[in-house]
């Protein structure tokens, strides 16, 4: 009998196939005492396992490229965290085996953060995955992971670590479903990059029996267990209709009445450029530059290395717009040479622009490298600062751009509610705004974007978040400047129409989402988008906002 479950849809498309479960977690190692004379040998074993896991994660990142590479390199740094390794050494010194010491050290770190109510900079799924990989290597057992199958399947797991998601084979993995995670988790972002339908935050997903036929709707978040023939036919027909609509929608982003909404791509480095160009991106709305700095957590990359990487991206979009975000270090992207190791709450501490203003030489080198990379190219370069809180932050960044001789537009990311509330004063110092809706939701609702238990508060349809978007867009219009969205909210085709109705002037997203958003915008006029936006803001919950917008656009 068919049953329906609902989670959070995070990657568009429909997948119909049999369930295959992710391998079970590594078993807890036995708590056995070792003789004192073996301590040094065990410490060496632990260090070797950690280095091997870090090397493996880095290699996986190199294979995956793009956004996945930055995520996996951050995980590799996590594995080598000096405080964790010091704790492992201490535990071994008092009699723990290497594997038990690793297991207990990671557990203590995880519990400490959770009990303190701090931002989990290590990301829960990522932290557990690193621990499991190290323990598995020490025990000499295979690392549980994506199942081995010759036939296509739907992958079901408690959560997916980036190391697993990054290397999924989309010809075998039709889609995936997880019990945990949220719409802006690493797995969700990478799923969209892969173009794999995905649903997260589905309670009880692990209870679906192996081999059960399910249908996954990555747009609605619905899971149909043992779908009827009629259901399968309807879903397949809807998928075919969507595919035809995607093929029919070409060219620049625009509403049905010709209101232009440039559709840009979020990229993590040169490896993401080809997919963006193929999807018809009109430029880059978010070029994350962290990938360069994660190669070596001990020192910043040279100016020459930065120039080379930036130029590869800029050359791919002649006459196009490329918006570069300067280094966003701190919180979940710690760098030994920049970020403090002992902050009680890194997400609310020295992060983003605050870090760069504390290290003006790093900022100056990056801005100089961007200026040299753009020299002689017809590209429209724009540079923005992350985590801008107020006018003083915006002025400090604008001054740094001018001092570096950067001939580009410079702007501010709106990720902190204060920047949205005082957007007009921020815009007196910079030339554009870009809304990072992932962090803006996190800070607005005090809801960690990696924690599935608070996923309803990470929903970009939350009316309070739409209010902050509207405030920012209205301020930009009043100042005669632009206001784009580069957070994951832009990748939702229906929400893209609402954002357009709120006055947003451009939308940037993962390349795989661009055709969906282009097709959706082309179906509605600007007036329809504005009515849908007003209806969404008048609602009292995310679900009500989504339903209200859908009702307006469907003519109900």
């Amino acid at each position: 009998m068919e049953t329906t479950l609902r989670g959070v849809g995070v990657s568009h498309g429909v997948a119909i196939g049999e369930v295959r479960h992710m391998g079970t977690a590594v078993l807890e190692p036995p708590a056995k005492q070792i003789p004192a004379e073996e301590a040094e040998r065990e410490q060496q074993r632990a260090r070797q396992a950690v280095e091997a896991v870090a090397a493996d994660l880095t290699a996986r990142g190199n294979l995956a490229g793009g956004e996945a590479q930055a995520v996996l390199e951050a995980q590799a740094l996590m594995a080598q965290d000096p405080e964790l390794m010091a704790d492992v050494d201490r535990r071994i010194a008092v009699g723990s085996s290497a594997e038990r010491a690793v297991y207990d050290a990671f557990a203590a770190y995880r519990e400490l953060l959770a009990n303190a109510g701090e931002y989990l900079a290590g990301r829960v799924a990522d932290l557990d995955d690193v621990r499991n990989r190290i323990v598995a290597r020490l025990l000499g057992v295979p690392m549980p992971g994506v199942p081995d199958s010759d036939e296509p399947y739907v992958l079901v797991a408690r959560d997916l670590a980036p190391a697993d998601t990054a290397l999924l084979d989309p010809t075998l993995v039709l889609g995936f479903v997880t019990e945990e995670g949220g719409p802006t988790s690493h797995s969700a972002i990478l799923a969209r990059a892969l173009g794999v339908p995905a649903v997260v935050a589905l309670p009880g997903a692990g209870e679906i029996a192996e081999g059960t036929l399910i249908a996954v709707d990555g747009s609605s978040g619905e899971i149909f267990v043992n779908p009827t023939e009629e259901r399968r036919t309807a879903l397949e027909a809807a998928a075919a209709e969507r595919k035809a609509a995607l093929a029919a929608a070409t060219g620049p982003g625009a509403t049905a009445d010709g209101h232009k909404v440039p559709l840009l791509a979020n990229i993590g480095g040169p490896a993401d450029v080809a997919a963006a160009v193929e999807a018809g991106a009109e430029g880059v709305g978010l070029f994350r530059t962290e990938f360069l700095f994660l190669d070596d957590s001990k020192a910043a990359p040279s100016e020459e290395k930065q120039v080379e990487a930036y130029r590869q991206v800029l050359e791919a979009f002649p006459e196009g717009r490329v918006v570069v975000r300067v280094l966003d270090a701190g919180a979940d992207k710690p760098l030994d040479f920049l970020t403090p190791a002992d902050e009680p709450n890194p997400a609310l501490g020295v992060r983003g622009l605050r870090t760069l203003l504390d290290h003006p030489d790093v900022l100056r080198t990056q801005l100089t490298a961007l200026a040299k990379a753009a020299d002689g190219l017809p590209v429209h370069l724009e540079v923005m600062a992350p985590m801008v809180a107020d006018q003083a932050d915006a002025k400090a960044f604008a001054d740094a751009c001018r001092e570096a001789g950067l001939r580009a537009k410079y702007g501010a990311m709106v990720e902190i509610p204060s920047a949205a509330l005082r957007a007009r004063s921020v815009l007196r110092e910079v030339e554009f705004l870009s809304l990072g809706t992932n962090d803006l939701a996190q800070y607005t609702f005090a809801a960690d974007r990696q924690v599935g238990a608070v996923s309803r508060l990470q929903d970009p349809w939350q009316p309070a978040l739409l209010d902050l978007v509207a405030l920012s867009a209205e301020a930009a219009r009043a100042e005669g400047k632009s206001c784009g969205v580069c957070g994951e909210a832009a990748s939702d085709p229906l929400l893209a129409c609402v954002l357009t109705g709120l006055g947003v002037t451009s939308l940037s997203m993962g390349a795989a989402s661009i055709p969906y958003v282009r097709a959706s915008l082309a179906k509605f006029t600007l007036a329809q988008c504005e009515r849908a936006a007003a209806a969404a803001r008048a609602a009292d919950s995310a679900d009500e906002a989504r339903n209200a917008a859908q009702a307006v656009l469907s003519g109900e």
Side-chain angles (χ1 to χ4, degrees), residues 275-306:
V277 172
E278 185 179 353
E282 298 167 59
V284 173
L286 173 61
F287 178 8
R288 304 179 180 95
T289 57
E290 288 76 42
F291 77 102
L292 275 169
F293 293 79
L294 291 170
D295 283 346
D296 180 1
S297 68
K298 306 297 183 186
S302 67
E303 182 181 300
E304 293 73 20
K305 183 177 180 179
Q306 292 189 54

PDB file of all heavy atoms in Angstrom, residues 275-306:
ATOM      1  N   ALA A 275      30.489  23.969 -15.934  1.00  0.00           N
ATOM      2  CA  ALA A 275      29.071  23.694 -15.690  1.00  0.00           C
ATOM      3  C   ALA A 275      28.260  24.983 -15.735  1.00  0.00           C
ATOM      4  O   ALA A 275      27.126  25.000 -16.235  1.00  0.00           O
ATOM      5  CB  ALA A 275      28.888  23.000 -14.346  1.00  0.00           C
ATOM      6  N   ALA A 276      28.834  26.071 -15.212  1.00  0.00           N
ATOM      7  CA  ALA A 276      28.135  27.351 -15.218  1.00  0.00           C
ATOM      8  C   ALA A 276      27.921  27.852 -16.644  1.00  0.00           C
ATOM      9  O   ALA A 276      26.832  28.314 -17.003  1.00  0.00           O
ATOM     10  CB  ALA A 276      28.912  28.376 -14.403  1.00  0.00           C
ATOM     11  N   VAL A 277      28.943  27.746 -17.471  1.00  0.00           N
ATOM     12  CA  VAL A 277      28.839  28.187 -18.861  1.00  0.00           C
ATOM     13  C   VAL A 277      27.821  27.325 -19.612  1.00  0.00           C
ATOM     14  O   VAL A 277      26.979  27.832 -20.363  1.00  0.00           O
ATOM     15  CB  VAL A 277      30.217  28.122 -19.548  1.00  0.00           C
ATOM     16  CG1 VAL A 277      30.087  28.383 -21.049  1.00  0.00           C
ATOM     17  CG2 VAL A 277      31.174  29.133 -18.921  1.00  0.00           C
ATOM     18  N   GLU A 278      27.863  26.010 -19.393  1.00  0.00           N
ATOM     19  CA  GLU A 278      26.950  25.099 -20.065  1.00  0.00           C
ATOM     20  C   GLU A 278      25.496  25.386 -19.687  1.00  0.00           C
ATOM     21  O   GLU A 278      24.585  25.242 -20.512  1.00  0.00           O
ATOM     22  CB  GLU A 278      27.296  23.649 -19.716  1.00  0.00           C
ATOM     23  CG  GLU A 278      26.462  22.625 -20.462  1.00  0.00           C
ATOM     24  CD  GLU A 278      26.840  21.185 -20.117  1.00  0.00           C
ATOM     25  OE1 GLU A 278      27.849  20.995 -19.399  1.00  0.00           O
ATOM     26  OE2 GLU A 278      26.130  20.272 -20.563  1.00  0.00           O
ATOM     27  N   ALA A 279      25.262  25.786 -18.435  1.00  0.00           N
ATOM     28  CA  ALA A 279      23.901  26.078 -17.969  1.00  0.00           C
ATOM     29  C   ALA A 279      23.394  27.427 -18.456  1.00  0.00           C
ATOM     30  O   ALA A 279      22.239  27.775 -18.218  1.00  0.00           O
ATOM     31  CB  ALA A 279      23.851  26.036 -16.445  1.00  0.00           C
ATOM     32  N   GLY A 280      24.249  28.186 -19.120  1.00  0.00           N
ATOM     33  CA  GLY A 280      23.832  29.489 -19.626  1.00  0.00           C
ATOM     34  C   GLY A 280      23.903  30.596 -18.609  1.00  0.00           C
ATOM     35  O   GLY A 280      23.187  31.608 -18.720  1.00  0.00           O
ATOM     36  N   ALA A 281      24.751  30.459 -17.607  1.00  0.00           N
ATOM     37  CA  ALA A 281      24.902  31.518 -16.604  1.00  0.00           C
ATOM     38  C   ALA A 281      25.355  32.807 -17.278  1.00  0.00           C
ATOM     39  O   ALA A 281      26.194  32.794 -18.180  1.00  0.00           O
ATOM     40  CB  ALA A 281      25.918  31.103 -15.549  1.00  0.00           C
ATOM     41  N   GLU A 282      24.772  33.916 -16.849  1.00  0.00           N
ATOM     42  CA  GLU A 282      25.116  35.213 -17.417  1.00  0.00           C
ATOM     43  C   GLU A 282      26.317  35.846 -16.733  1.00  0.00           C
ATOM     44  O   GLU A 282      26.664  37.005 -16.995  1.00  0.00           O
ATOM     45  CB  GLU A 282      23.901  36.140 -17.341  1.00  0.00           C
ATOM     46  CG  GLU A 282      22.718  35.624 -18.142  1.00  0.00           C
ATOM     47  CD  GLU A 282      21.428  36.348 -17.826  1.00  0.00           C
ATOM     48  OE1 GLU A 282      21.385  37.579 -18.012  1.00  0.00           O
ATOM     49  OE2 GLU A 282      20.462  35.689 -17.401  1.00  0.00           O
ATOM     50  N   GLY A 283      26.929  35.087 -15.857  1.00  0.00           N
ATOM     51  CA  GLY A 283      28.082  35.549 -15.113  1.00  0.00           C
ATOM     52  C   GLY A 283      28.173  34.776 -13.814  1.00  0.00           C
ATOM     53  O   GLY A 283      27.554  33.718 -13.663  1.00  0.00           O
ATOM     54  N   VAL A 284      28.936  35.298 -12.886  1.00  0.00           N
ATOM     55  CA  VAL A 284      29.113  34.672 -11.578  1.00  0.00           C
ATOM     56  C   VAL A 284      28.605  35.641 -10.515  1.00  0.00           C
ATOM     57  O   VAL A 284      29.032  36.790 -10.475  1.00  0.00           O
ATOM     58  CB  VAL A 284      30.599  34.335 -11.321  1.00  0.00           C
ATOM     59  CG1 VAL A 284      30.805  33.835  -9.897  1.00  0.00           C
ATOM     60  CG2 VAL A 284      31.079  33.280 -12.328  1.00  0.00           C
ATOM     61  N   GLY A 285      27.700  35.146  -9.684  1.00  0.00           N
ATOM     62  CA  GLY A 285      27.153  35.996  -8.624  1.00  0.00           C
ATOM     63  C   GLY A 285      27.809  35.774  -7.286  1.00  0.00           C
ATOM     64  O   GLY A 285      27.664  36.580  -6.364  1.00  0.00           O
ATOM     65  N   LEU A 286      28.541  34.657  -7.167  1.00  0.00           N
ATOM     66  CA  LEU A 286      29.274  34.357  -5.935  1.00  0.00           C
ATOM     67  C   LEU A 286      30.459  33.469  -6.282  1.00  0.00           C
ATOM     68  O   LEU A 286      30.297  32.288  -6.568  1.00  0.00           O
ATOM     69  CB  LEU A 286      28.378  33.658  -4.913  1.00  0.00           C
ATOM     70  CG  LEU A 286      29.086  33.135  -3.652  1.00  0.00           C
ATOM     71  CD1 LEU A 286      29.726  34.285  -2.878  1.00  0.00           C
ATOM     72  CD2 LEU A 286      28.121  32.365  -2.757  1.00  0.00           C
ATOM     73  N   PHE A 287      31.627  34.062  -6.291  1.00  0.00           N
ATOM     74  CA  PHE A 287      32.873  33.312  -6.479  1.00  0.00           C
ATOM     75  C   PHE A 287      33.506  33.203  -5.101  1.00  0.00           C
ATOM     76  O   PHE A 287      34.045  34.152  -4.567  1.00  0.00           O
ATOM     77  CB  PHE A 287      33.775  34.068  -7.457  1.00  0.00           C
ATOM     78  CG  PHE A 287      35.124  33.421  -7.707  1.00  0.00           C
ATOM     79  CD1 PHE A 287      35.442  32.153  -7.226  1.00  0.00           C
ATOM     80  CD2 PHE A 287      36.083  34.096  -8.439  1.00  0.00           C
ATOM     81  CE1 PHE A 287      36.678  31.575  -7.454  1.00  0.00           C
ATOM     82  CE2 PHE A 287      37.334  33.537  -8.686  1.00  0.00           C
ATOM     83  CZ  PHE A 287      37.630  32.277  -8.191  1.00  0.00           C
ATOM     84  N   ARG A 288      33.383  31.998  -4.514  1.00  0.00           N
ATOM     85  CA  ARG A 288      33.969  31.750  -3.195  1.00  0.00           C
ATOM     86  C   ARG A 288      35.467  31.528  -3.363  1.00  0.00           C
ATOM     87  O   ARG A 288      35.885  30.606  -4.049  1.00  0.00           O
ATOM     88  CB  ARG A 288      33.329  30.514  -2.557  1.00  0.00           C
ATOM     89  CG  ARG A 288      31.814  30.573  -2.423  1.00  0.00           C
ATOM     90  CD  ARG A 288      31.299  29.286  -1.789  1.00  0.00           C
ATOM     91  NE  ARG A 288      29.859  29.277  -1.630  1.00  0.00           N
ATOM     92  CZ  ARG A 288      29.009  28.748  -2.498  1.00  0.00           C
ATOM     93  NH1 ARG A 288      29.476  28.184  -3.602  1.00  0.00           N
ATOM     94  NH2 ARG A 288      27.713  28.776  -2.281  1.00  0.00           N
ATOM     95  N   THR A 289      36.265  32.333  -2.692  1.00  0.00           N
ATOM     96  CA  THR A 289      37.710  32.241  -2.884  1.00  0.00           C
ATOM     97  C   THR A 289      38.408  31.409  -1.810  1.00  0.00           C
ATOM     98  O   THR A 289      39.635  31.294  -1.817  1.00  0.00           O
ATOM     99  CB  THR A 289      38.331  33.653  -2.911  1.00  0.00           C
ATOM    100  OG1 THR A 289      37.988  34.342  -1.693  1.00  0.00           O
ATOM    101  CG2 THR A 289      37.814  34.441  -4.102  1.00  0.00           C
ATOM    102  N   GLU A 290      37.633  30.789  -0.909  1.00  0.00           N
ATOM    103  CA  GLU A 290      38.249  30.032   0.190  1.00  0.00           C
ATOM    104  C   GLU A 290      39.090  28.858  -0.301  1.00  0.00           C
ATOM    105  O   GLU A 290      40.028  28.429   0.376  1.00  0.00           O
ATOM    106  CB  GLU A 290      37.177  29.503   1.156  1.00  0.00           C
ATOM    107  CG  GLU A 290      36.526  30.568   2.008  1.00  0.00           C
ATOM    108  CD  GLU A 290      35.523  31.387   1.228  1.00  0.00           C
ATOM    109  OE1 GLU A 290      34.759  30.792   0.430  1.00  0.00           O
ATOM    110  OE2 GLU A 290      35.507  32.614   1.392  1.00  0.00           O
ATOM    111  N   PHE A 291      38.741  28.296  -1.484  1.00  0.00           N
ATOM    112  CA  PHE A 291      39.436  27.097  -1.957  1.00  0.00           C
ATOM    113  C   PHE A 291      40.939  27.320  -2.043  1.00  0.00           C
ATOM    114  O   PHE A 291      41.731  26.405  -1.796  1.00  0.00           O
ATOM    115  CB  PHE A 291      38.881  26.665  -3.318  1.00  0.00           C
ATOM    116  CG  PHE A 291      39.359  27.504  -4.480  1.00  0.00           C
ATOM    117  CD1 PHE A 291      40.351  27.035  -5.325  1.00  0.00           C
ATOM    118  CD2 PHE A 291      38.826  28.758  -4.732  1.00  0.00           C
ATOM    119  CE1 PHE A 291      40.800  27.797  -6.392  1.00  0.00           C
ATOM    120  CE2 PHE A 291      39.266  29.531  -5.786  1.00  0.00           C
ATOM    121  CZ  PHE A 291      40.260  29.048  -6.626  1.00  0.00           C
ATOM    122  N   LEU A 292      41.357  28.523  -2.351  1.00  0.00           N
ATOM    123  CA  LEU A 292      42.791  28.819  -2.455  1.00  0.00           C
ATOM    124  C   LEU A 292      43.467  28.794  -1.093  1.00  0.00           C
ATOM    125  O   LEU A 292      44.610  28.352  -0.963  1.00  0.00           O
ATOM    126  CB  LEU A 292      42.981  30.203  -3.075  1.00  0.00           C
ATOM    127  CG  LEU A 292      42.968  30.310  -4.596  1.00  0.00           C
ATOM    128  CD1 LEU A 292      42.901  31.755  -5.010  1.00  0.00           C
ATOM    129  CD2 LEU A 292      44.201  29.640  -5.174  1.00  0.00           C
ATOM    130  N   PHE A 293      42.765  29.259  -0.086  1.00  0.00           N
ATOM    131  CA  PHE A 293      43.355  29.404   1.245  1.00  0.00           C
ATOM    132  C   PHE A 293      43.327  28.097   2.029  1.00  0.00           C
ATOM    133  O   PHE A 293      44.101  27.913   2.959  1.00  0.00           O
ATOM    134  CB  PHE A 293      42.618  30.499   2.020  1.00  0.00           C
ATOM    135  CG  PHE A 293      42.812  31.872   1.460  1.00  0.00           C
ATOM    136  CD1 PHE A 293      42.088  32.286   0.351  1.00  0.00           C
ATOM    137  CD2 PHE A 293      43.720  32.743   2.027  1.00  0.00           C
ATOM    138  CE1 PHE A 293      42.266  33.559  -0.186  1.00  0.00           C
ATOM    139  CE2 PHE A 293      43.910  34.022   1.503  1.00  0.00           C
ATOM    140  CZ  PHE A 293      43.186  34.421   0.387  1.00  0.00           C
ATOM    141  N   LEU A 294      42.437  27.178   1.649  1.00  0.00           N
ATOM    142  CA  LEU A 294      42.351  25.898   2.355  1.00  0.00           C
ATOM    143  C   LEU A 294      43.467  24.938   1.955  1.00  0.00           C
ATOM    144  O   LEU A 294      43.667  23.914   2.596  1.00  0.00           O
ATOM    145  CB  LEU A 294      40.992  25.248   2.101  1.00  0.00           C
ATOM    146  CG  LEU A 294      39.795  25.972   2.740  1.00  0.00           C
ATOM    147  CD1 LEU A 294      38.494  25.385   2.217  1.00  0.00           C
ATOM    148  CD2 LEU A 294      39.850  25.871   4.252  1.00  0.00           C
ATOM    149  N   ASP A 295      44.189  25.259   0.867  1.00  0.00           N
ATOM    150  CA  ASP A 295      45.293  24.389   0.457  1.00  0.00           C
ATOM    151  C   ASP A 295      46.373  24.315   1.533  1.00  0.00           C
ATOM    152  O   ASP A 295      47.065  23.316   1.674  1.00  0.00           O
ATOM    153  CB  ASP A 295      45.927  24.912  -0.848  1.00  0.00           C
ATOM    154  CG  ASP A 295      45.074  24.569  -2.060  1.00  0.00           C
ATOM    155  OD1 ASP A 295      44.175  23.721  -1.924  1.00  0.00           O
ATOM    156  OD2 ASP A 295      45.298  25.151  -3.130  1.00  0.00           O
ATOM    157  N   ASP A 296      46.520  25.410   2.269  1.00  0.00           N
ATOM    158  CA  ASP A 296      47.555  25.466   3.304  1.00  0.00           C
ATOM    159  C   ASP A 296      47.031  26.344   4.442  1.00  0.00           C
ATOM    160  O   ASP A 296      46.933  27.561   4.291  1.00  0.00           O
ATOM    161  CB  ASP A 296      48.845  26.059   2.733  1.00  0.00           C
ATOM    162  CG  ASP A 296      49.962  26.134   3.767  1.00  0.00           C
ATOM    163  OD1 ASP A 296      49.753  25.702   4.934  1.00  0.00           O
ATOM    164  OD2 ASP A 296      51.052  26.621   3.419  1.00  0.00           O
ATOM    165  N   SER A 297      46.671  25.706   5.552  1.00  0.00           N
ATOM    166  CA  SER A 297      46.090  26.467   6.660  1.00  0.00           C
ATOM    167  C   SER A 297      47.133  27.277   7.417  1.00  0.00           C
ATOM    168  O   SER A 297      46.807  28.021   8.325  1.00  0.00           O
ATOM    169  CB  SER A 297      45.379  25.520   7.633  1.00  0.00           C
ATOM    170  OG  SER A 297      46.324  24.697   8.297  1.00  0.00           O
ATOM    171  N   LYS A 298      48.418  27.126   7.058  1.00  0.00           N
ATOM    172  CA  LYS A 298      49.488  27.799   7.797  1.00  0.00           C
ATOM    173  C   LYS A 298      49.862  29.151   7.210  1.00  0.00           C
ATOM    174  O   LYS A 298      50.462  29.982   7.881  1.00  0.00           O
ATOM    175  CB  LYS A 298      50.751  26.915   7.822  1.00  0.00           C
ATOM    176  CG  LYS A 298      50.522  25.496   8.340  1.00  0.00           C
ATOM    177  CD  LYS A 298      50.075  25.472   9.778  1.00  0.00           C
ATOM    178  CE  LYS A 298      49.915  24.035  10.286  1.00  0.00           C
ATOM    179  NZ  LYS A 298      49.340  23.989  11.648  1.00  0.00           N
ATOM    180  N   ALA A 299      49.526  29.381   5.936  1.00  0.00           N
ATOM    181  CA  ALA A 299      49.916  30.641   5.307  1.00  0.00           C
ATOM    182  C   ALA A 299      48.980  30.951   4.146  1.00  0.00           C
ATOM    183  O   ALA A 299      48.400  30.048   3.532  1.00  0.00           O
ATOM    184  CB  ALA A 299      51.362  30.550   4.797  1.00  0.00           C
ATOM    185  N   ALA A 300      48.848  32.234   3.852  1.00  0.00           N
ATOM    186  CA  ALA A 300      48.005  32.651   2.734  1.00  0.00           C
ATOM    187  C   ALA A 300      48.701  32.333   1.418  1.00  0.00           C
ATOM    188  O   ALA A 300      49.926  32.323   1.335  1.00  0.00           O
ATOM    189  CB  ALA A 300      47.730  34.146   2.836  1.00  0.00           C
ATOM    190  N   PRO A 301      47.923  32.070   0.356  1.00  0.00           N
ATOM    191  CA  PRO A 301      48.544  31.815  -0.949  1.00  0.00           C
ATOM    192  C   PRO A 301      49.226  33.072  -1.466  1.00  0.00           C
ATOM    193  O   PRO A 301      48.831  34.200  -1.129  1.00  0.00           O
ATOM    194  CB  PRO A 301      47.356  31.424  -1.831  1.00  0.00           C
ATOM    195  CG  PRO A 301      46.168  32.042  -1.166  1.00  0.00           C
ATOM    196  CD  PRO A 301      46.461  31.994   0.296  1.00  0.00           C
ATOM    197  N   SER A 302      50.222  32.902  -2.292  1.00  0.00           N
ATOM    198  CA  SER A 302      50.957  34.040  -2.832  1.00  0.00           C
ATOM    199  C   SER A 302      50.059  34.850  -3.764  1.00  0.00           C
ATOM    200  O   SER A 302      49.045  34.368  -4.276  1.00  0.00           O
ATOM    201  CB  SER A 302      52.176  33.562  -3.614  1.00  0.00           C
ATOM    202  OG  SER A 302      51.754  32.868  -4.785  1.00  0.00           O
ATOM    203  N   GLU A 303      50.473  36.082  -3.990  1.00  0.00           N
ATOM    204  CA  GLU A 303      49.727  36.931  -4.916  1.00  0.00           C
ATOM    205  C   GLU A 303      49.695  36.312  -6.310  1.00  0.00           C
ATOM    206  O   GLU A 303      48.663  36.318  -6.989  1.00  0.00           O
ATOM    207  CB  GLU A 303      50.378  38.311  -4.969  1.00  0.00           C
ATOM    208  CG  GLU A 303      49.663  39.291  -5.876  1.00  0.00           C
ATOM    209  CD  GLU A 303      50.355  40.641  -5.930  1.00  0.00           C
ATOM    210  OE1 GLU A 303      50.489  41.275  -4.861  1.00  0.00           O
ATOM    211  OE2 GLU A 303      50.767  41.050  -7.032  1.00  0.00           O
ATOM    212  N   GLU A 304      50.815  35.728  -6.730  1.00  0.00           N
ATOM    213  CA  GLU A 304      50.899  35.126  -8.065  1.00  0.00           C
ATOM    214  C   GLU A 304      49.922  33.962  -8.211  1.00  0.00           C
ATOM    215  O   GLU A 304      49.246  33.818  -9.248  1.00  0.00           O
ATOM    216  CB  GLU A 304      52.327  34.633  -8.345  1.00  0.00           C
ATOM    217  CG  GLU A 304      53.359  35.740  -8.472  1.00  0.00           C
ATOM    218  CD  GLU A 304      53.710  36.392  -7.127  1.00  0.00           C
ATOM    219  OE1 GLU A 304      53.455  35.769  -6.060  1.00  0.00           O
ATOM    220  OE2 GLU A 304      54.210  37.530  -7.139  1.00  0.00           O
ATOM    221  N   LYS A 305      49.830  33.122  -7.189  1.00  0.00           N
ATOM    222  CA  LYS A 305      48.912  31.989  -7.240  1.00  0.00           C
ATOM    223  C   LYS A 305      47.470  32.471  -7.312  1.00  0.00           C
ATOM    224  O   LYS A 305      46.646  31.907  -8.051  1.00  0.00           O
ATOM    225  CB  LYS A 305      49.110  31.100  -6.005  1.00  0.00           C
ATOM    226  CG  LYS A 305      48.237  29.849  -6.002  1.00  0.00           C
ATOM    227  CD  LYS A 305      48.528  28.961  -4.799  1.00  0.00           C
ATOM    228  CE  LYS A 305      47.654  27.709  -4.815  1.00  0.00           C
ATOM    229  NZ  LYS A 305      47.933  26.817  -3.654  1.00  0.00           N
ATOM    230  N   GLN A 306      47.155  33.505  -6.577  1.00  0.00           N
ATOM    231  CA  GLN A 306      45.801  34.045  -6.600  1.00  0.00           C
ATOM    232  C   GLN A 306      45.469  34.644  -7.963  1.00  0.00           C
ATOM    233  O   GLN A 306      44.383  34.409  -8.509  1.00  0.00           O
ATOM    234  CB  GLN A 306      45.631  35.096  -5.503  1.00  0.00           C
ATOM    235  CG  GLN A 306      45.683  34.524  -4.086  1.00  0.00           C
ATOM    236  CD  GLN A 306      45.287  35.550  -3.045  1.00  0.00           C
ATOM    237  OE1 GLN A 306      44.221  36.153  -3.135  1.00  0.00           O
ATOM    238  NE2 GLN A 306      46.140  35.762  -2.047  1.00  0.00           N
TER     239      GLN A 306
END
